[in-house]
Amino acid sequence: EENVAPYMALLTHLPNSSPDSCGQKLKAKLIRESLSPMMVKRPLQGSQSDIYLQSEVFAHLVLHKQIPVQGATKTILQLLAKPDTRCAAVTMMGKLAEFCSTDIVNCGAPEEVIRLRSAVMGLEEVFKYDVDYICSCMEWAYPSSDPDSANATTFSADSTPASQGQNTGDVELEHVASRAGHQGTVYAMAEDPLTQTLITASKDGTLIVWNLDGEIKHQTMLPFHYTHAMAVDGQRRSLFGCGVVKPVGSESSDGQQSNMPCIMHFSLEQDEVCGSAWTNPERLTAEEPKLISCIKIMPSGETTTFITGETPYARAPQPGRSPQEGRVCYYDYSRSSGDFSSLTPVHAYPDGGNLVTCLSAYPASPNLFLAGTRNGLIRVWDCRMENSIGMLGSRPENPSSPVCAHSNMVTCLDASSSLLLSTSMDSTVASWDLRMLSAAGCAPVARARTKSAALKVSIGGGEGRAAVSTVQGLFFLDFNVGESNQWPEGVSVKPAQCVQDMRRTWRYHALSWSTQHNYLYAAGDDSCVDVYTVK
C-alpha cells in the first residue's frame, strides 16, 4: 500500500464548517470505509494484511483529531471482546499505538486506558508479536516471559539482556554527543570516507553534511522530495538517494514533474556539495507511481553500479500481473551519458510480487547481493544470472509455501566479510552463513528474539560486533564472548547507555558506523543525530 500519511494530512485543510462541506463528507466516508472491513468475521489466525491500510487510515483520523481518542479506544475494546472481530481489532490497535500512543495515554480517561491495557495483555498466544509491538509503542510493561527464552538470547522488557549464564563482557555503547539541525524524522545517513563527513537526510527535506566535530559544514533543502534512503560511492564521489514526494507536490522550475518518487544523484566533489546542484539534483523520475524503498552501492569494478528495491503500484489488477510486482533494479551510472533522467536498469530481478524492503551487498563476493521482502523472504542474487541463486530460511510445514527467513517483514540486512545479519518485524535478529546455501534453503546459524520489532542493524564497532535498533531501544551485540562462537552461547547483548540529556531515543531509523573512527551514528524520530562509541 502507499503511505497514507500525506493524504490524511490534507484532510485537515479541507473545508469542514458544515455537514455538507467536502471535508465533512470525506471524513464520514473514510470513517465508514475504514471501519466496515473490521466488522467482517475472521478467525483468530486470519490474515491481517488485507486490513493494514484501513487500520492506518483509522489511526491517522485519530491522529488528526477527526475521531476522538476515547471513541477509538471504546471501538477497539468492543471489537476485542468478540472472537470474530479480535484479529481486526488487534491490527487497529497496533496502528493506533504506533501513531497515537501519547494521545491515548493523555486522553483523560485513565480507567479506560487500564481496560485497554488489560485487554491487550490477555490476548491469545497467536497475537504474541502484536502484543509485543503494542506494548513497545505504549511503553507498557510486558506480559509473562517468553516461553522460548530458554533457547534464545532475549532483550528483556527492562532493557536488561538475558545472558544465559554466560559472561556478558565489558564492551558496551556509550553515548558521547548529540547533533541537532534537522526539523523532522531522520530516515537516512551515509558517511563519505574520503572527507570523513556524515551526510544525513530527514523528512523535512533537508540534507546536512557534518564534520567530525559535529559542526554543520553544509546544509540544503530539497524543494520537492525528501530522502529516506541513501548510499555513497566515495571513490567516484557520488551520493544517491531515494526520493519521496513531500506531502504537497508541485511543478519544478524546469517543468519536470515533482509529484513522483525518484532516484537522485548528488556530486560529492568539494565545490558542488550542497550548492545549486544539490538543490536541484539529477533525478531519475518514475514514469508510474511506485515505491523506491532502498538503495545500495555494488562493490564492482570500474564504474558506479547500484541496486534499488522498486515496487510499482498497480491501480487495478491486470491479466498476468501481480498487484505489486516488487523487483530489484541494477543500474550502471556510467551508462547515463550525462543524462541521468534517461538511465534505465541494466537488469531487473523480479521478486515474485513481493515488496522489496531492504538490500545488502555481500563484501565477500562483489557480484552477490541479498533482497529482503515484506512477507519475510530473503533472496540471494548473483548480478550475472537471471534467477535467484537461493533463499535464506527454511520451508514452512506447507510444502507449497516458499522458504521463509522470517515470519514477518524483513526490515534490514547488513553484511561484512565475516557476518551476515537480518532483522524483522517478527522481533528477531538472525545470523546467516551463505556457505550453507542449498536448493532447500539455508537455516540461520542462530536467531534471537528482540522483544520488540527490530528496525535496523549495522555491523561495526569491532570484529564480530553490531548495533541493533528496535522499537524498544538501541542494543549492542558482541559475538566475541564465551568459549563458543555460536549464538546465543557466545554473544553478549547489551542496551546502549542513555543519552546524556536523558531524551527518549527509541526508534532509530538509521544506523551507520564510521569507517575511520569507532563511532556509531544513530538517528530517528526526534530529529537528532546521536553519537555512540564502544567502551
Side-chain angles (χ1 to χ4, degrees):
E1 304 92 16
E2 287 189 71
N3 186 351
V4 303
Y7 307 102
M8 298 303 297
L10 291 175
L11 181 62
T12 60
H13 299 284
L14 296 176
N16 60 2
S17 56
S18 69
D20 293 329
S21 63
C22 61
Q24 288 292 341
K25 288 181 178 179
L26 180 57
K27 169 186 169 182
K29 181 175 176 61
L30 286 171
I31 293 174
R32 184 171 62 252
E33 294 295 330
S34 62
L35 284 178
S36 59
M38 308 301 171
M39 308 302 174
V40 176
K41 293 182 178 181
R42 290 179 174 82
L44 290 179
Q45 294 181 297
S47 172
Q48 296 177 326
S49 61
D50 60 337
I51 49 177
Y52 280 150
L53 185 61
Q54 292 90 338
S55 298
E56 189 165 337
V57 169
F58 182 80
H60 277 280
L61 285 168
V62 177
L63 179 66
H64 294 295
K65 317 300 182 187
Q66 303 299 304
I67 293 178
V69 177
Q70 292 186 39
T73 56
K74 286 181 180 178
T75 298
I76 290 176
L77 281 168
Q78 291 171 359
L79 295 175
L80 283 173
K82 302 176 182 178
D84 290 342
T85 55
R86 193 166 296 154
C87 177
V90 170
T91 310
M92 289 175 68
M93 184 60 207
K95 288 296 182 182
L96 199 63
E98 179 180 348
F99 293 106
C100 309
S101 58
T102 302
D103 295 323
I104 295 173
V105 173
N106 299 322
C107 70
E111 292 183 359
E112 191 157 290
V113 175
I114 293 173
R115 286 181 57 211
L116 186 62
R117 179 182 179 278
S118 298
V120 170
M121 295 297 191
L123 288 170
E124 293 84 350
E125 180 66 19
V126 67
F127 296 116
K128 178 192 178 313
Y129 294 131
D130 302 276
V131 172
D132 285 348
Y133 182 71
I134 292 168
C135 288
S136 298
C137 293
M138 296 298 302
E139 296 189 77
W140 288 338
Y142 287 95
S144 58
S145 59
D146 188 344
D148 295 333
S149 60
N151 301 313
T153 300
T154 303
F155 305 162
S156 67
D158 59 359
S159 296
T160 303
S163 59
Q164 304 300 322
Q166 294 289 330
N167 173 19
T168 56
D170 298 323
V171 180
E172 60 184 346
L173 286 175
E174 178 183 23
H175 179 259
V176 295
S178 294
R179 303 176 178 181
H182 289 289
Q183 301 300 316
T185 300
V186 179
Y187 283 119
M189 62 172 66
E191 185 193 31
D192 180 356
L194 185 64
T195 60
Q196 296 186 35
T197 54
L198 179 71
I199 306 164
T200 57
S202 74
K203 195 172 181 178
D204 62 2
T206 56
L207 291 174
I208 297 180
V209 181
W210 312 80
N211 65 16
L212 278 174
D213 296 325
E215 299 170 340
I216 296 178
K217 288 187 63 177
H218 306 284
Q219 182 170 344
T220 192
M221 174 70 74
L222 299 176
F224 309 113
H225 298 83
Y226 68 87
T227 305
H228 75 92
M230 61 171 59
V232 164
D233 185 344
Q235 182 179 352
R236 299 176 184 85
R237 315 306 300 138
S238 289
L239 167 69
F240 296 89
C242 300
V244 177
V245 181
K246 287 183 178 181
V248 180
S250 59
E251 291 288 326
S252 60
S253 58
D254 58 6
Q256 292 180 327
Q257 277 194 327
S258 60
N259 61 350
M260 287 287 190
C262 66
I263 302 169
M264 295 179 284
H265 172 254
F266 307 85
S267 171
L268 290 177
E269 297 296 343
Q270 188 169 2
D271 58 344
E272 296 186 49
V273 173
C274 285
S276 58
W278 273 43
T279 304
N280 187 26
E282 291 185 298
R283 292 195 302 268
L284 177 57
T285 304
E287 296 181 355
E288 60 179 333
K290 69 166 67 174
L291 171 65
I292 306 174
S293 56
C294 43
I295 187 166
K296 293 291 181 181
I297 300 294
M298 289 291 289
S300 58
E302 300 177 354
T303 63
T304 296
T305 55
F306 61 92
I307 51 177
T308 59
E310 303 184 14
T311 306
Y313 295 118
R315 296 305 183 188
Q318 301 175 15
R321 181 180 181 183
S322 171
Q324 290 187 319
E325 291 183 343
R327 56 181 181 252
V328 179
C329 294
Y330 183 96
Y331 293 91
D332 184 343
Y333 179 68
S334 66
R335 297 193 180 193
S336 61
S337 302
D339 183 11
F340 185 64
S341 63
S342 64
L343 185 65
T344 58
V346 176
H347 194 78
Y349 305 89
D351 216 309
N354 301 315
L355 189 153
V356 179
T357 54
C358 53
L359 296 165
S360 178
Y362 190 62
S365 175
N367 295 308
L368 295 188
F369 64 88
L370 300 97
T373 67
R374 181 171 59 181
N375 61 351
L377 308 184
I378 300 177
R379 284 189 170 86
V380 185
W381 297 89
D382 185 323
C383 63
R384 300 165 298 183
M385 303 179 68
E386 292 286 328
N387 299 315
S388 167
I389 63 173
M391 298 178 69
L392 302 187
S394 55
R395 195 177 300 279
E397 294 181 4
N398 184 354
S400 63
S401 299
V403 172
C404 283
H406 291 276
S407 63
N408 207 327
M409 181 174 73
V410 183
T411 54
C412 191
L413 291 162
D414 198 23
S416 68
S417 58
S418 59
L419 203 56
L420 171 59
L421 301 176
S422 63
T423 58
S424 170
M425 291 296 290
D426 68 5
S427 304
T428 65
V429 181
S431 174
W432 309 90
D433 186 345
L434 287 191
R435 293 173 298 180
M436 299 167 59
L437 191 66
S438 69
C442 173
V445 174
R447 191 188 299 273
R449 298 195 184 281
T450 60
K451 276 291 188 181
S452 61
L455 306 176
K456 296 292 179 182
V457 62
S458 183
I459 297 171
E463 184 68 24
R465 296 171 179 168
V468 174
S469 168
T470 76
V471 169
Q472 187 182 349
L474 179 66
F475 294 83
F476 188 51
L477 278 61
D478 185 356
F479 294 82
N480 303 307
V481 177
E483 299 178 355
S484 168
N485 289 325
Q486 294 297 311
W487 195 3
E489 289 80 4
V491 64
S492 165
V493 184
K494 285 195 172 184
Q497 289 187 356
C498 294
V499 295
Q500 295 171 357
D501 58 8
M502 301 305 291
R503 286 179 293 108
R504 191 170 83 173
T505 57
W506 47 285
R507 291 190 198 167
Y508 285 131
H509 299 295
L511 300 176
S512 178
W513 286 95
S514 170
T515 56
Q516 304 292 328
H517 304 274
N518 205 24
Y519 291 139
L520 171 72
Y521 301 106
D525 285 346
D526 69 355
S527 76
C528 288
V529 179
D530 293 317
V531 186
Y532 295 85
T533 188
V534 178
K535 74 163 191 174

